[in-house]
Amino acid sequence: MCGIVGGIAQRNVVPILLEGLKRLEYRGYDSAGLAVISNQQIYRKRELGKVKGLEALLEADPISGNIGIAHTRWATHGKPSTANAHPHICRNKVAVVHNGIIENHEHLREVQLKQGYEFTSETDTEVIVHEIHHAMESTDGLLSAVKQAVKKLDGAYALGIMSIDSPDILIACRKGSPLVIGVGIGEYFIASDVAALLPVTQRFIFLEDGDIAAITIDGLVIYDRDDQAVSRPIIESQLTADAVDKGDYRHYMLKEIYEQPFAISQALEGRFINNRLQENAFGHNAAEVFDNIKAIQILACGTSYHAGMVARYWFEELARVPCNIEVASEFRYRSPVLAPDTLIVTISQSGETADTLAALLEAKKLGAKYSLAICNVPESSLVRESDLVLMTRAGPEIGVASTKAFTTQLATLMLLVIAIGRRFHLTEIVEQKITSELFSLPGKIEKVLQLDDEIKVLAEQFAEKQHALFLGRGTHYPIAMEGALKLKEISYIHAEAYPAGELKHGPLALIDADMPVVTVAPNNSLLEKLKSNIQEVSARGGQLIVFMDETLASANDENVRIVKVPQVGNEISPIVYTIPLQLLAYHVAVLKGTDVDQPRNLAKSVTVE
Ligand code: G6P
């Protein structure tokens, strides 16, 4: 999704803005641009495609300045093109970069056309820059003009704004889309997330919704939504610039797959005393909230939704607590009915997914009294909006296809199942069993990672295929869904997942030698039923790849290729069986030569509807 970087300093900000854009590449984008003010002029460069294209343009024809704004655009209104790329400029006077969507842009465009403004793009953003320009004509400067202009905007925005009339002020504002200010020594920067600015600072101010900041090299003033000057704390980030380096790995995704044993150990770290989960891990009043809840509603999108689906099986099976799950974008518009004392659990790696945030707000409007976020970004909007929080502690995830964020979501969700389950039907014995299984996870995952070479060879079967089917049952049905999602996200092979019991109700018609069928077959009570499903596929000439418990694996069927997965406890097995599916998708994508870390059309953090 769009990324913003900006800066005001005594040095040339262009190299810092470019580095910032590169660090935001993981969010997904289709064009990039940058503008500076120098000698009372705005200089701008924009390029369709990757940041390195913009960099080449700047090398060929350099620009420099002490104040600048830059942007990676993920097209929403208007196709990816140089003309639609940001920054947008009005009459060589004001320049703007924008993340979000202006919902009333058509109306504003009509008004502005009548006022004589010309449009050079198809974007919704261009109305912002004209509106600010228009306001400048009747106000006493850029800051007042921005305050007046944003009142006219409906929708979501994070903005970086500069003008030749006030070349020593950078304006940053946000409503609904994230924006941080990086505090340097005698210099300030703005960005969509901290990762962009780590090479220049580790000190950040997180703007709140409705904030407008006027930034100069001498300091900054922040006005809240009521136009009151407010002070926001400076937070020291624990991240370092190299926390987001690829190291020796070919892709971030592979690095992140291999980081999972450590990420999961971090997710568990310090949350148990004498092997007993401490409920204050969720927040100081967690026990009180948990005592009152009678049901759970999970809301999430994408991969996080799949984590929630697994959790629903766990909540109902292990804890016997009623649990619903819904894709956030549906929930927010569906007029759902919430049972009294329902805990709203949102799951999001970024904490900025617009639909998940809106669904949480909708649930609150519907009377939900309690909310809990499972999230990877401590300073995110979702965390701020939730009563209780459990951080996944996966560390920065750069690959668009989520891997370690997913498995740490599952591990932390299991902690929630334990905490809530204690109040329902989870016995002390089962709790202890699950706890020891959780602690065995890093070691189990290390073992599964050793399957990498075998899976790499298997991937060759896929590279030429157009479609694939993934099957699972019970908690492993969402894992099959996650496997299919990984494959389609990064290899662009059409992949679908089915609960294996549904095979004969439709998908069996698709089976032939060209349709690989990936099956997740752990050792659990559904295994015999799953074996029958495997037979149904094989009997019709389907080619199966079955990830199966090593102690049970045997096949004398030429259509069935078995990959032996280390033996693992029932409860945590969905986490372990995720790993081979991630590796499979990764190797297929590498063979196909796609952009593994930044797949086409996708964004890491979806901050618009
Ligand atoms: C995007 C990402 C996915 C992610 C989904 C939900 O589509 O590409 O990897 O699962 O958003 O994001 P969230 O940050 O809420 O988990």
Side-chain angles (χ1 to χ4, degrees):
M1 202 101 312
C2 303
I4 288 177
V5 195
I8 182 159
Q10 271 151 341
R11 53 179 162 160
N12 174 20
V13 294
V14 170
I16 299 164
L17 301 191
L18 264 181
E19 175 63 24
L21 289 185
K22 285 185 197 157
R23 286 170 172 263
L24 291 179
E25 282 190 300
Y26 76 93
R27 295 166 71 91
Y29 69 104
D30 42 56
S31 54
L34 181 154
V36 289
I37 295 179
S38 171
N39 300 327
Q40 287 296 304
Q41 288 280 338
I42 299 175
Y43 293 92
R44 172 177 69 179
K45 299 282 177 197
R46 297 180 293 173
E47 185 71 333
L48 186 61
K50 296 285 176 190
V51 174
K52 59 177 190 286
L54 176 69
E55 196 174 18
L57 208 65
L58 283 160
E59 263 167 35
D61 184 13
I63 58 175
S64 65
N66 304 124
I67 177 168
I69 50 180
H71 191 260
T72 45
R73 173 172 185 258
W74 189 81
T76 57
H77 294 66
K79 60 185 176 303
S81 70
T82 309
N84 287 335
H86 302 208
H88 288 287
I89 297 177
C90 181
R91 297 185 184 166
N92 295 319
K93 188 164 162 178
V94 197
V96 163
V97 286
H98 167 219
N99 174 11
I101 288 178
I102 303 304
E103 285 166 3
N104 59 339
H105 72 102
E106 280 175 0
H107 165 69
L108 291 174
R109 187 179 265 252
E110 272 173 36
V111 175
Q112 292 171 357
L113 281 168
K114 286 186 193 137
Q115 289 164 344
Y117 285 100
E118 279 172 21
F119 284 81
T120 57
S121 78
E122 304 152 314
T123 64
D124 53 331
T125 302
E126 209 177 345
V127 299
I128 306 174
V129 73
H130 293 331
E131 204 55 49
I132 296 170
H133 182 279
H134 185 64
M136 283 176 86
E137 305 203 321
S138 57
T139 50
D140 62 357
L142 182 63
L143 177 61
S144 312
V146 170
K147 285 181 180 175
Q148 185 174 307
V150 295
K151 284 191 195 137
K152 301 243 176 91
L153 307 178
D154 291 341
Y157 52 81
L159 301 171
I161 306 157
M162 60 181 194
S163 165
I164 55 167
D165 281 6
S166 311
D168 50 356
I169 300 182
L170 176 66
I171 306 257
C173 39
R174 67 157 289 195
K175 189 185 144 215
S177 299
L179 198 64
V180 299
I181 299 176
V183 181
I185 299 167
E187 55 188 17
Y188 290 90
F189 301 93
I190 62 172
S192 298
D193 72 42
V194 297
L197 302 178
L198 288 171
V200 280
T201 185
Q202 278 175 287
R203 303 172 71 224
F204 294 96
I205 295 171
F206 293 87
L207 290 179
E208 296 200 2
D209 243 28
D211 281 356
I212 299 180
I215 310 168
T216 68
I217 51 171
D218 301 321
L220 80 174
V221 188
I222 300 172
Y223 300 88
D224 68 8
R225 67 181 83 193
D226 301 319
D227 200 18
Q228 298 300 309
V230 283
S231 93
R232 303 269 179 240
I234 296 180
I235 291 166
E236 198 85 30
S237 172
Q238 300 307 309
L239 293 173
T240 54
D242 61 3
V244 288
D245 274 356
K246 227 171 1 204
D248 291 335
Y249 289 92
R250 185 167 168 195
H251 295 101
Y252 281 110
M253 182 181 178
L254 190 62
K255 175 176 178 249
E256 287 155 6
I257 290 173
Y258 272 83
E259 280 173 348
Q260 289 176 108
F262 177 69
I264 288 188
S265 65
Q266 288 297 106
L268 303 176
E269 175 79 29
R271 290 174 166 165
F272 291 81
I273 296 181
N274 295 330
N275 277 342
R276 191 160 167 86
L277 174 68
Q278 301 300 295
E279 293 183 353
N280 57 10
F282 300 88
H284 70 278
N285 59 338
E288 204 182 305
V289 171
F290 295 160
D291 283 347
N292 285 315
I293 62 156
K294 298 199 174 61
I296 291 166
Q297 171 70 57
I298 302 177
L299 301 168
C301 304
T303 287
S304 300
Y305 172 72
H306 294 156
M309 282 186 75
V310 176
R312 182 179 61 166
Y313 283 91
W314 284 340
F315 275 120
E316 299 208 332
E317 204 171 299
L318 298 168
R320 308 297 299 149
V321 53
C323 179
N324 273 319
I325 168 150
E326 189 159 2
V327 165
S329 55
E330 283 299 308
F331 180 90
R332 64 183 286 195
Y333 292 119
R334 191 179 60 81
S335 300
V337 177
L338 283 177
D341 300 316
T342 293
L343 175 69
I344 305 297
V345 176
T346 54
I347 309 169
S348 172
Q349 47 89 18
S350 65
E352 300 293 350
T353 301
D355 283 323
T356 308
L357 255 171
L360 171 61
L361 300 182
E362 180 62 22
K364 286 186 182 178
K365 255 197 235 160
L366 293 169
K369 283 189 283 183
Y370 314 111
S371 60
L372 182 146
I374 300 280
C375 190
N376 198 32
V377 181
E379 306 85 7
S380 62
S381 306
L382 200 64
V383 166
R384 285 203 297 266
E385 290 290 344
S386 303
D387 307 319
L388 303 176
V389 171
L390 192 61
M391 300 311 303
T392 48
R393 300 183 185 155
E397 190 180 70
I398 305 298
V400 164
S402 196
T403 51
K404 63 177 180 170
F406 176 68
T407 46
T408 53
Q409 282 170 349
L410 288 175
T412 44
L413 279 162
M414 187 56 111
L415 302 188
L416 186 62
V417 172
I418 294 177
I420 291 175
R422 284 170 180 165
R423 282 139 174 107
F424 288 80
H425 290 268
L426 189 76
T427 61
E428 178 71 28
I429 294 175
V430 178
E431 178 178 331
Q432 283 311 312
K433 178 171 172 277
I434 298 173
T435 303
S436 73
E437 282 190 17
L438 280 171
F439 281 108
S440 74
L441 259 174
K444 296 283 181 196
I445 295 177
E446 289 288 2
K447 279 198 184 161
V448 185
L449 287 168
Q450 290 168 16
L451 296 172
D452 197 2
D453 287 341
E454 186 179 347
I455 293 171
K456 194 172 177 179
V457 174
L458 271 179
E460 288 166 18
Q461 285 183 29
F462 279 77
E464 301 305 319
K465 303 288 186 215
Q466 304 292 321
H467 308 276
L469 208 58
F470 284 67
L471 301 177
R473 298 192 76 133
T475 44
H476 296 77
Y477 163 48
I479 298 308
M481 292 173 79
E482 177 57 12
L485 178 65
K486 286 291 87 96
L487 188 70
K488 68 184 137 195
E489 279 180 316
I490 58 171
S491 76
Y492 315 149
I493 291 174
H494 168 229
E496 268 192 88
Y498 270 90
E502 270 292 294
L503 254 187
K504 44 189 146 346
H505 301 295
L508 215 44
L510 299 170
I511 300 300
D512 63 16
D514 286 328
M515 171 77 94
V517 180
V518 178
T519 308
V520 191
N523 182 11
N524 61 23
S525 58
L526 292 166
L527 184 63
E528 288 312 314
K529 296 200 179 299
L530 192 64
K531 282 183 176 168
S532 308
N533 302 137
I534 292 171
Q535 290 306 316
E536 288 162 10
V537 174
S538 171
R540 287 156 182 87
Q543 303 296 304
L544 287 125
I545 293 173
V546 184
F547 293 96
M548 191 176 243
D549 188 294
E550 62 186 357
T551 59
L552 304 166
S554 73
N556 38 21
D557 183 336
E558 58 174 20
N559 292 337
V560 181
R561 172 78 193 264
I562 289 189
V563 180
K564 295 181 185 176
V565 178
Q567 200 181 6
V568 62
N570 227 337
E571 275 71 36
I572 56 158
S573 114
I575 307 180
V576 174
Y577 276 77
T578 301
I579 315 295
L581 302 185
Q582 295 170 342
L583 287 168
L584 180 65
Y586 172 76
H587 288 300
V588 175
V590 170
L591 284 170
K592 292 200 72 182
T594 59
D595 191 343
V596 173
D597 287 329
Q598 293 163 39
R600 68 183 181 202
N601 306 339
L602 298 182
K604 181 78 187 162
S605 177
V606 181
T607 51
V608 296
E609 252 195 275

